[in-house]
Amino acid sequence: MDAITQEAAVLAGPGHWETGQLGSAHLTVRALEPRREHVPADDPTTARYLSALDRATARAQWPIGFRVTGLTLTAGTVMACAEPLDSAADIFSDHVTHELGPDAWYETERRDIWYLNLLHFTGDIAAPDALIEWVSDHRTTPLGTVQAQAPELVRSEYRPGPRPHMGPIAVADTVRAL
C-alpha cells in the first residue's frame, strides 16, 4: 500500500494526507462517533466500546482475510477496494453492531464496501486529470491480500512531516480496567 500511496501523492501534489503509508493503512469496520479532540483515559463510553469489541472479537473467526482488488476515487480520497475472502468480515461487523447495542447509533447500517484509504485530499489536486486517469488505469489492479489478525479500537491523530497523514492510535489499554 505504501508504494501505491506514494504514486497517488505525486499526482495529487504536496500536503495531502498519505494515510495508506506503512504503519497507517487500515480497514475500518465502523466509525463509532464524531471525532473528539480529547478522550479522557477514564471515559465510560470508550470503556463500553472496548467491552463490546472484546465480546464481538470472541465470537468471530480469525484471521479475517481481504483481497485488495484495485483503486477507486471519491471527492475526498483515493481508496484501495477490498473484498472479503469469505463471510467472516461481515459476520464480525454484525457482531460488533450487536454488542455495541445503543452505542451503535453513529453508523446504523453495515458498510457496503470495504476499503483502505490511501490518500485524503486536503486542498486542490495538482494534476486532477492525470490522477483520474491513473486511478482508472488501476481500477482492477490486484494489490495483494490483507489478513486481519485481530481488531483494534483506534482513533486517528494528525502526523505532519514530509508525508503527512492521519495515523491510527490504539486506545489506551488502561481503559479496559474500568
Side-chain angles (χ1 to χ4, degrees):
M1 295 297 119
D2 189 69
I4 203 152
T5 296
Q6 288 177 340
E7 289 181 42
V10 167
L11 294 169
H16 301 288
W17 297 343
E18 297 183 41
T19 307
Q21 68 181 273
L22 187 63
S24 182
H26 61 279
L27 284 156
T28 299
V29 175
R30 70 178 303 131
L32 298 172
E33 61 185 39
R35 177 166 170 71
R36 287 191 274 165
E37 193 60 36
H38 176 71
V39 180
D42 62 348
D43 181 55
T45 304
T46 303
R48 290 194 312 272
Y49 294 159
L50 285 166
S51 179
L53 183 61
D54 285 345
R55 291 188 308 274
T57 300
R59 295 175 61 191
Q61 294 183 343
W62 298 94
I64 295 177
F66 297 86
R67 180 177 24 265
V68 185
T69 60
L71 302 182
T72 195
L73 184 63
T74 71
T77 185
V78 175
M79 300 186 310
C81 301
E83 294 179 0
L85 298 178
D86 55 29
S87 62
D90 287 336
I91 291 170
F92 174 65
S93 177
D94 291 345
H95 289 327
V96 170
T97 299
H98 173 78
E99 294 299 341
L100 283 167
D103 284 329
W105 66 271
Y106 190 65
E107 284 188 2
T108 58
E109 301 294 324
R110 181 198 299 163
R111 291 182 175 206
D112 58 355
I113 62 169
W114 293 92
Y115 58 90
L116 300 97
N117 282 309
L118 301 182
L119 190 69
H120 284 92
F121 305 130
T122 60
D124 291 339
I125 297 169
D129 292 340
L131 181 63
I132 290 167
E133 183 177 333
W134 179 80
V135 169
S136 180
D137 290 346
H138 290 84
R139 178 116 20 234
T140 58
T141 301
L143 299 171
T145 58
V146 174
Q147 291 285 326
Q149 301 301 317
E152 194 171 35
L153 181 63
V154 300
R155 58 187 317 244
S156 295
E157 173 183 83
Y158 177 69
R159 296 181 182 163
R163 297 182 68 198
H165 64 286
M166 293 298 285
I169 303 293
V171 173
D173 288 335
T174 57
V175 177
R176 290 184 189 275
L178 295 177

